[in-house]
mmCIF file of all heavy atoms in Angstrom:
data_model
loop_
_atom_site.group_PDB
_atom_site.id
_atom_site.type_symbol
_atom_site.label_atom_id
_atom_site.label_comp_id
_atom_site.label_asym_id
_atom_site.label_seq_id
_atom_site.Cartn_x
_atom_site.Cartn_y
_atom_site.Cartn_z
ATOM 1 N N LEU A 135 -8.617 -1.757 1.963
ATOM 2 C CA LEU A 135 -8.970 -3.181 1.995
ATOM 3 C C LEU A 135 -9.984 -3.482 0.920
ATOM 4 O O LEU A 135 -9.840 -4.448 0.127
ATOM 5 C CB LEU A 135 -9.414 -3.601 3.366
ATOM 6 C CG LEU A 135 -9.980 -4.970 3.485
ATOM 7 C CD1 LEU A 135 -8.887 -6.100 3.133
ATOM 8 C CD2 LEU A 135 -10.518 -5.223 4.913
ATOM 9 N N ASN A 136 -11.054 -2.695 0.910
ATOM 10 C CA ASN A 136 -12.152 -2.934 -0.070
ATOM 11 C C ASN A 136 -11.629 -2.764 -1.473
ATOM 12 O O ASN A 136 -11.976 -3.547 -2.398
ATOM 13 C CB ASN A 136 -13.307 -1.999 0.252
ATOM 14 C CG ASN A 136 -14.053 -2.402 1.453
ATOM 15 O OD1 ASN A 136 -14.055 -3.522 1.891
ATOM 16 N ND2 ASN A 136 -14.615 -1.366 2.124
ATOM 17 N N LEU A 137 -10.833 -1.689 -1.706
ATOM 18 C CA LEU A 137 -10.294 -1.369 -3.034
ATOM 19 C C LEU A 137 -9.393 -2.491 -3.481
ATOM 20 O O LEU A 137 -9.507 -3.017 -4.605
ATOM 21 C CB LEU A 137 -9.584 -0.052 -3.019
ATOM 22 C CG LEU A 137 -8.913 0.340 -4.366
ATOM 23 C CD1 LEU A 137 -9.955 0.626 -5.442
ATOM 24 C CD2 LEU A 137 -8.058 1.613 -4.119
ATOM 25 N N TYR A 138 -8.453 -2.952 -2.638
ATOM 26 C CA TYR A 138 -7.548 -3.966 -3.039
ATOM 27 C C TYR A 138 -8.225 -5.308 -3.303
ATOM 28 O O TYR A 138 -7.829 -6.081 -4.212
ATOM 29 C CB TYR A 138 -6.391 -4.140 -1.959
ATOM 30 C CG TYR A 138 -5.488 -2.943 -1.863
ATOM 31 C CD1 TYR A 138 -4.850 -2.650 -0.656
ATOM 32 C CD2 TYR A 138 -5.236 -2.101 -2.934
ATOM 33 C CE1 TYR A 138 -4.063 -1.535 -0.495
ATOM 34 C CE2 TYR A 138 -4.360 -1.025 -2.826
ATOM 35 C CZ TYR A 138 -3.807 -0.738 -1.622
ATOM 36 O OH TYR A 138 -2.962 0.331 -1.444
ATOM 37 N N GLU A 139 -9.227 -5.612 -2.503
ATOM 38 C CA GLU A 139 -9.950 -6.864 -2.730
ATOM 39 C C GLU A 139 -10.705 -6.798 -4.106
ATOM 40 O O GLU A 139 -10.648 -7.747 -4.888
ATOM 41 C CB GLU A 139 -10.956 -7.058 -1.626
ATOM 42 C CG GLU A 139 -11.705 -8.453 -1.670
ATOM 43 C CD GLU A 139 -12.437 -8.678 -0.408
ATOM 44 O OE1 GLU A 139 -12.892 -7.740 0.280
ATOM 45 O OE2 GLU A 139 -12.604 -9.855 -0.099
ATOM 46 N N LYS A 140 -11.322 -5.719 -4.347
ATOM 47 C CA LYS A 140 -12.066 -5.426 -5.611
ATOM 48 C C LYS A 140 -11.080 -5.522 -6.842
ATOM 49 O O LYS A 140 -11.465 -6.075 -7.891
ATOM 50 C CB LYS A 140 -12.752 -4.059 -5.568
ATOM 51 C CG LYS A 140 -13.532 -3.757 -6.785
ATOM 52 C CD LYS A 140 -14.171 -2.353 -6.532
ATOM 53 C CE LYS A 140 -14.842 -1.805 -7.765
ATOM 54 N NZ LYS A 140 -15.404 -0.420 -7.403
ATOM 55 N N ALA A 141 -9.891 -4.991 -6.670
ATOM 56 C CA ALA A 141 -8.924 -4.915 -7.767
ATOM 57 C C ALA A 141 -8.233 -6.326 -8.079
ATOM 58 O O ALA A 141 -7.734 -6.451 -9.182
ATOM 59 C CB ALA A 141 -7.886 -3.877 -7.458
ATOM 60 N N GLY A 142 -8.276 -7.181 -7.083
ATOM 61 C CA GLY A 142 -7.611 -8.428 -7.361
ATOM 62 C C GLY A 142 -6.232 -8.590 -6.722
ATOM 63 O O GLY A 142 -5.437 -9.486 -7.121
ATOM 64 N N VAL A 143 -5.897 -7.745 -5.715
ATOM 65 C CA VAL A 143 -4.605 -7.930 -5.025
ATOM 66 C C VAL A 143 -4.709 -9.256 -4.365
ATOM 67 O O VAL A 143 -5.739 -9.599 -3.679
ATOM 68 C CB VAL A 143 -4.456 -6.782 -3.964
ATOM 69 C CG1 VAL A 143 -3.281 -7.087 -3.046
ATOM 70 C CG2 VAL A 143 -4.232 -5.450 -4.728
ATOM 71 N N ARG A 144 -3.645 -10.093 -4.438
ATOM 72 C CA ARG A 144 -3.685 -11.390 -3.864
ATOM 73 C C ARG A 144 -3.475 -11.449 -2.366
ATOM 74 O O ARG A 144 -4.092 -12.259 -1.656
ATOM 75 C CB ARG A 144 -2.583 -12.276 -4.533
ATOM 76 C CG ARG A 144 -2.873 -12.497 -5.989
ATOM 77 C CD ARG A 144 -1.648 -13.059 -6.735
ATOM 78 N NE ARG A 144 -1.213 -14.341 -6.159
ATOM 79 C CZ ARG A 144 -0.031 -14.853 -6.396
ATOM 80 N NH1 ARG A 144 0.856 -14.257 -7.217
ATOM 81 N NH2 ARG A 144 0.323 -15.942 -5.814
ATOM 82 N N GLU A 145 -2.625 -10.505 -1.888
ATOM 83 C CA GLU A 145 -2.333 -10.528 -0.401
ATOM 84 C C GLU A 145 -2.131 -9.053 0.039
ATOM 85 O O GLU A 145 -1.540 -8.281 -0.681
ATOM 86 C CB GLU A 145 -1.062 -11.318 -0.179
ATOM 87 C CG GLU A 145 -0.710 -11.501 1.234
ATOM 88 C CD GLU A 145 0.397 -12.557 1.404
ATOM 89 O OE1 GLU A 145 0.799 -13.229 0.411
ATOM 90 O OE2 GLU A 145 0.828 -12.682 2.560
ATOM 91 N N TYR A 146 -2.678 -8.761 1.201
ATOM 92 C CA TYR A 146 -2.586 -7.408 1.739
ATOM 93 C C TYR A 146 -2.150 -7.456 3.224
ATOM 94 O O TYR A 146 -2.777 -8.148 3.964
ATOM 95 C CB TYR A 146 -3.960 -6.712 1.597
ATOM 96 C CG TYR A 146 -4.050 -5.317 2.142
ATOM 97 C CD1 TYR A 146 -3.012 -4.388 2.015
ATOM 98 C CD2 TYR A 146 -5.234 -4.877 2.746
ATOM 99 C CE1 TYR A 146 -3.159 -3.129 2.535
ATOM 100 C CE2 TYR A 146 -5.389 -3.595 3.292
ATOM 101 C CZ TYR A 146 -4.315 -2.714 3.157
ATOM 102 O OH TYR A 146 -4.422 -1.460 3.614
ATOM 103 N N TRP A 147 -1.094 -6.750 3.495
ATOM 104 C CA TRP A 147 -0.615 -6.676 4.904
ATOM 105 C C TRP A 147 -0.731 -5.244 5.440
ATOM 106 O O TRP A 147 -0.382 -4.296 4.703
ATOM 107 C CB TRP A 147 0.908 -7.073 5.037
ATOM 108 C CG TRP A 147 1.184 -8.457 4.798
ATOM 109 C CD1 TRP A 147 0.444 -9.450 4.207
ATOM 110 C CD2 TRP A 147 2.414 -9.155 5.246
ATOM 111 N NE1 TRP A 147 1.097 -10.672 4.243
ATOM 112 C CE2 TRP A 147 2.329 -10.479 4.828
ATOM 113 C CE3 TRP A 147 3.548 -8.730 5.850
ATOM 114 C CZ2 TRP A 147 3.331 -11.421 5.057
ATOM 115 C CZ3 TRP A 147 4.555 -9.631 6.083
ATOM 116 C CH2 TRP A 147 4.433 -10.954 5.673
ATOM 117 N N ILE A 148 -1.231 -5.105 6.613
ATOM 118 C CA ILE A 148 -1.325 -3.817 7.272
ATOM 119 C C ILE A 148 -0.342 -3.884 8.473
ATOM 120 O O ILE A 148 -0.592 -4.654 9.403
ATOM 121 C CB ILE A 148 -2.674 -3.348 7.680
ATOM 122 C CG1 ILE A 148 -3.648 -3.396 6.516
ATOM 123 C CG2 ILE A 148 -2.623 -1.988 8.353
ATOM 124 C CD1 ILE A 148 -5.055 -3.216 6.846
ATOM 125 N N VAL A 149 0.716 -3.115 8.445
ATOM 126 C CA VAL A 149 1.726 -3.061 9.493
ATOM 127 C C VAL A 149 1.415 -1.925 10.424
ATOM 128 O O VAL A 149 1.357 -0.771 9.955
ATOM 129 C CB VAL A 149 3.135 -3.008 8.943
ATOM 130 C CG1 VAL A 149 4.185 -2.986 10.100
ATOM 131 C CG2 VAL A 149 3.438 -4.122 7.936
ATOM 132 N N ASP A 150 1.229 -2.198 11.725
ATOM 133 C CA ASP A 150 0.940 -1.134 12.675
ATOM 134 C C ASP A 150 2.137 -1.020 13.650
ATOM 135 O O ASP A 150 2.237 -1.826 14.608
ATOM 136 C CB ASP A 150 -0.359 -1.435 13.450
ATOM 137 C CG ASP A 150 -0.807 -0.281 14.319
ATOM 138 O OD1 ASP A 150 0.057 0.484 14.768
ATOM 139 O OD2 ASP A 150 -2.047 -0.122 14.475
ATOM 140 N N PRO A 151 3.003 -0.036 13.464
ATOM 141 C CA PRO A 151 4.173 0.082 14.335
ATOM 142 C C PRO A 151 3.845 0.385 15.802
ATOM 143 O O PRO A 151 4.519 -0.027 16.680
ATOM 144 C CB PRO A 151 4.941 1.247 13.739
ATOM 145 C CG PRO A 151 4.440 1.433 12.373
ATOM 146 C CD PRO A 151 3.003 0.913 12.392
ATOM 147 N N LEU A 152 2.721 1.143 16.029
ATOM 148 C CA LEU A 152 2.380 1.482 17.404
ATOM 149 C C LEU A 152 1.879 0.302 18.173
ATOM 150 O O LEU A 152 2.205 0.043 19.373
ATOM 151 C CB LEU A 152 1.317 2.606 17.407
ATOM 152 C CG LEU A 152 1.766 4.003 16.923
ATOM 153 C CD1 LEU A 152 0.605 4.965 16.951
ATOM 154 C CD2 LEU A 152 2.925 4.502 17.797
ATOM 155 N N GLN A 153 1.068 -0.559 17.478
ATOM 156 C CA GLN A 153 0.541 -1.804 18.111
ATOM 157 C C GLN A 153 1.506 -2.986 18.021
ATOM 158 O O GLN A 153 1.209 -3.955 18.587
ATOM 159 C CB GLN A 153 -0.819 -2.160 17.446
ATOM 160 C CG GLN A 153 -1.901 -1.182 17.591
ATOM 161 C CD GLN A 153 -2.283 -0.913 19.067
ATOM 162 O OE1 GLN A 153 -2.409 -1.842 19.826
ATOM 163 N NE2 GLN A 153 -2.427 0.362 19.428
ATOM 164 N N LYS A 154 2.567 -2.809 17.245
ATOM 165 C CA LYS A 154 3.566 -3.847 16.979
ATOM 166 C C LYS A 154 2.835 -5.095 16.459
ATOM 167 O O LYS A 154 3.029 -6.197 16.970
ATOM 168 C CB LYS A 154 4.413 -4.119 18.214
ATOM 169 C CG LYS A 154 5.267 -2.984 18.637
ATOM 170 C CD LYS A 154 6.274 -3.312 19.645
ATOM 171 C CE LYS A 154 7.237 -2.310 20.141
ATOM 172 N NZ LYS A 154 7.421 -1.083 19.396
ATOM 173 N N SER A 155 2.025 -4.866 15.453
ATOM 174 C CA SER A 155 1.245 -5.925 14.878
ATOM 175 C C SER A 155 1.178 -5.832 13.315
ATOM 176 O O SER A 155 1.420 -4.772 12.770
ATOM 177 C CB SER A 155 -0.185 -5.977 15.413
ATOM 178 O OG SER A 155 -0.848 -4.833 15.019
ATOM 179 N N VAL A 156 0.935 -6.958 12.717
ATOM 180 C CA VAL A 156 0.705 -7.074 11.261
ATOM 181 C C VAL A 156 -0.619 -7.824 11.038
ATOM 182 O O VAL A 156 -0.763 -8.931 11.530
ATOM 183 C CB VAL A 156 1.881 -7.794 10.533
ATOM 184 C CG1 VAL A 156 1.614 -7.865 9.052
ATOM 185 C CG2 VAL A 156 3.226 -7.098 10.853
ATOM 186 N N THR A 157 -1.527 -7.205 10.340
ATOM 187 C CA THR A 157 -2.756 -7.825 9.978
ATOM 188 C C THR A 157 -2.647 -8.329 8.529
ATOM 189 O O THR A 157 -2.322 -7.523 7.590
ATOM 190 C CB THR A 157 -3.957 -6.868 10.090
ATOM 191 O OG1 THR A 157 -3.932 -6.312 11.452
ATOM 192 C CG2 THR A 157 -5.227 -7.591 9.804
ATOM 193 N N VAL A 158 -2.832 -9.626 8.322
ATOM 194 C CA VAL A 158 -2.620 -10.242 7.006
ATOM 195 C C VAL A 158 -3.975 -10.672 6.445
ATOM 196 O O VAL A 158 -4.741 -11.332 7.134
ATOM 197 C CB VAL A 158 -1.649 -11.417 7.113
ATOM 198 C CG1 VAL A 158 -1.578 -12.174 5.758
ATOM 199 C CG2 VAL A 158 -0.300 -11.003 7.607
ATOM 200 N N TYR A 159 -4.176 -10.206 5.152
ATOM 201 C CA TYR A 159 -5.396 -10.638 4.432
ATOM 202 C C TYR A 159 -4.970 -11.451 3.214
ATOM 203 O O TYR A 159 -4.244 -10.875 2.393
ATOM 204 C CB TYR A 159 -6.202 -9.422 3.975
ATOM 205 C CG TYR A 159 -6.823 -8.649 5.049
ATOM 206 C CD1 TYR A 159 -6.103 -7.545 5.639
ATOM 207 C CD2 TYR A 159 -8.114 -8.854 5.472
ATOM 208 C CE1 TYR A 159 -6.643 -6.805 6.708
ATOM 209 C CE2 TYR A 159 -8.644 -8.108 6.563
ATOM 210 C CZ TYR A 159 -7.936 -7.060 7.095
ATOM 211 O OH TYR A 159 -8.448 -6.293 8.084
ATOM 212 N N GLY A 160 -5.310 -12.691 3.170
ATOM 213 C CA GLY A 160 -5.045 -13.523 1.975
ATOM 214 C C GLY A 160 -6.253 -13.347 1.044
ATOM 215 O O GLY A 160 -7.143 -14.215 1.004
ATOM 216 N N LEU A 161 -6.313 -12.246 0.295
ATOM 217 C CA LEU A 161 -7.488 -11.866 -0.454
ATOM 218 C C LEU A 161 -7.792 -12.892 -1.570
ATOM 219 O O LEU A 161 -8.928 -13.153 -1.863
ATOM 220 C CB LEU A 161 -7.317 -10.468 -1.048
ATOM 221 C CG LEU A 161 -7.134 -9.322 -0.017
ATOM 222 C CD1 LEU A 161 -6.904 -7.998 -0.765
ATOM 223 C CD2 LEU A 161 -8.291 -9.248 0.904
ATOM 224 N N GLU A 162 -6.770 -13.421 -2.206
ATOM 225 C CA GLU A 162 -6.930 -14.394 -3.281
ATOM 226 C C GLU A 162 -7.676 -15.653 -2.803
ATOM 227 O O GLU A 162 -8.552 -16.155 -3.468
ATOM 228 C CB GLU A 162 -5.578 -14.730 -3.829
ATOM 229 C CG GLU A 162 -5.702 -15.785 -5.028
ATOM 230 C CD GLU A 162 -4.330 -16.067 -5.597
ATOM 231 O OE1 GLU A 162 -3.394 -16.392 -4.798
ATOM 232 O OE2 GLU A 162 -4.154 -16.008 -6.821
ATOM 233 N N LYS A 163 -7.349 -16.050 -1.572
ATOM 234 C CA LYS A 163 -7.953 -17.282 -0.970
ATOM 235 C C LYS A 163 -9.053 -16.936 -0.056
ATOM 236 O O LYS A 163 -9.604 -17.820 0.659
ATOM 237 C CB LYS A 163 -6.896 -18.096 -0.257
ATOM 238 C CG LYS A 163 -5.810 -18.573 -1.182
ATOM 239 C CD LYS A 163 -4.746 -19.299 -0.427
ATOM 240 C CE LYS A 163 -3.608 -19.715 -1.376
ATOM 241 N NZ LYS A 163 -2.452 -20.259 -0.680
ATOM 242 N N LYS A 164 -9.485 -15.611 0.014
ATOM 243 C CA LYS A 164 -10.543 -15.219 0.877
ATOM 244 C C LYS A 164 -10.236 -15.502 2.362
ATOM 245 O O LYS A 164 -11.111 -15.918 3.125
ATOM 246 C CB LYS A 164 -11.919 -15.771 0.486
ATOM 247 C CG LYS A 164 -12.267 -15.639 -0.972
ATOM 248 C CD LYS A 164 -12.988 -14.345 -1.226
ATOM 249 C CE LYS A 164 -13.586 -14.288 -2.603
ATOM 250 N NZ LYS A 164 -12.991 -13.255 -3.399
ATOM 251 N N GLU A 165 -8.950 -15.312 2.728
ATOM 252 C CA GLU A 165 -8.518 -15.573 4.113
ATOM 253 C C GLU A 165 -8.214 -14.315 4.870
ATOM 254 O O GLU A 165 -7.780 -13.352 4.289
ATOM 255 C CB GLU A 165 -7.237 -16.427 4.088
ATOM 256 C CG GLU A 165 -7.405 -17.789 3.490
ATOM 257 C CD GLU A 165 -6.078 -18.501 3.325
ATOM 258 O OE1 GLU A 165 -5.006 -17.869 3.428
ATOM 259 O OE2 GLU A 165 -6.132 -19.730 3.099
ATOM 260 N N GLY A 166 -8.459 -14.308 6.166
ATOM 261 C CA GLY A 166 -8.088 -13.179 6.964
ATOM 262 C C GLY A 166 -9.308 -12.485 7.553
ATOM 263 O O GLY A 166 -10.434 -12.905 7.283
ATOM 264 N N PRO A 167 -9.044 -11.576 8.427
ATOM 265 C CA PRO A 167 -7.707 -11.113 8.808
ATOM 266 C C PRO A 167 -7.077 -12.044 9.875
ATOM 267 O O PRO A 167 -7.746 -12.648 10.688
ATOM 268 C CB PRO A 167 -8.034 -9.750 9.390
ATOM 269 C CG PRO A 167 -9.425 -9.936 10.019
ATOM 270 C CD PRO A 167 -10.139 -10.840 9.074
ATOM 271 N N VAL A 168 -5.745 -12.171 9.736
ATOM 272 C CA VAL A 168 -4.977 -12.947 10.740
ATOM 273 C C VAL A 168 -4.001 -11.886 11.304
ATOM 274 O O VAL A 168 -3.280 -11.221 10.614
ATOM 275 C CB VAL A 168 -4.172 -14.052 10.060
ATOM 276 C CG1 VAL A 168 -3.307 -14.751 11.089
ATOM 277 C CG2 VAL A 168 -5.186 -15.035 9.410
ATOM 278 N N LEU A 169 -4.072 -11.780 12.641
ATOM 279 C CA LEU A 169 -3.249 -10.819 13.352
ATOM 280 C C LEU A 169 -1.952 -11.506 13.880
ATOM 281 O O LEU A 169 -2.003 -12.530 14.479
ATOM 282 C CB LEU A 169 -4.021 -10.220 14.556
ATOM 283 C CG LEU A 169 -3.391 -9.066 15.284
ATOM 284 C CD1 LEU A 169 -3.222 -7.826 14.388
ATOM 285 C CD2 LEU A 169 -4.247 -8.693 16.500
ATOM 286 N N HIS A 170 -0.836 -10.867 13.533
ATOM 287 C CA HIS A 170 0.486 -11.335 14.017
ATOM 288 C C HIS A 170 1.132 -10.261 14.840
ATOM 289 O O HIS A 170 0.965 -9.043 14.575
ATOM 290 C CB HIS A 170 1.371 -11.633 12.831
ATOM 291 C CG HIS A 170 0.849 -12.674 11.919
ATOM 292 N ND1 HIS A 170 1.159 -13.980 12.034
ATOM 293 C CD2 HIS A 170 0.055 -12.597 10.818
ATOM 294 C CE1 HIS A 170 0.592 -14.664 11.095
ATOM 295 N NE2 HIS A 170 -0.127 -13.864 10.291
ATOM 296 N N SER A 171 1.951 -10.657 15.843
ATOM 297 C CA SER A 171 2.681 -9.690 16.598
ATOM 298 C C SER A 171 4.101 -9.559 16.035
ATOM 299 O O SER A 171 4.513 -10.436 15.216
ATOM 300 C CB SER A 171 2.738 -10.089 18.069
ATOM 301 O OG SER A 171 3.682 -11.136 18.224
ATOM 302 N N PHE A 172 4.827 -8.534 16.449
ATOM 303 C CA PHE A 172 6.285 -8.394 16.027
ATOM 304 C C PHE A 172 7.129 -9.421 16.704
ATOM 305 O O PHE A 172 8.340 -9.434 16.439
ATOM 306 C CB PHE A 172 6.703 -6.996 16.354
ATOM 307 C CG PHE A 172 6.342 -5.938 15.405
ATOM 308 C CD1 PHE A 172 5.251 -6.088 14.527
ATOM 309 C CD2 PHE A 172 7.028 -4.687 15.369
ATOM 310 C CE1 PHE A 172 4.936 -5.074 13.674
ATOM 311 C CE2 PHE A 172 6.676 -3.699 14.513
ATOM 312 C CZ PHE A 172 5.605 -3.853 13.680
#
Side-chain angles (χ1 to χ4, degrees):
L135 172 62
N136 292 331
L137 178 65
Y138 293 150
E139 186 170 29
K140 181 179 172 182
V143 170
R144 295 168 56 197
E145 186 167 355
Y146 178 38
W147 289 19
I148 303 172
V149 179
D150 189 330
L152 292 176
Q153 298 298 316
K154 295 191 177 346
S155 67
V156 179
T157 306
V158 174
Y159 295 88
L161 299 177
E162 180 178 48
K163 297 176 183 174
K164 308 269 189 245
E165 296 173 346
V168 177
L169 187 64
H170 299 270
S171 74
F172 279 19

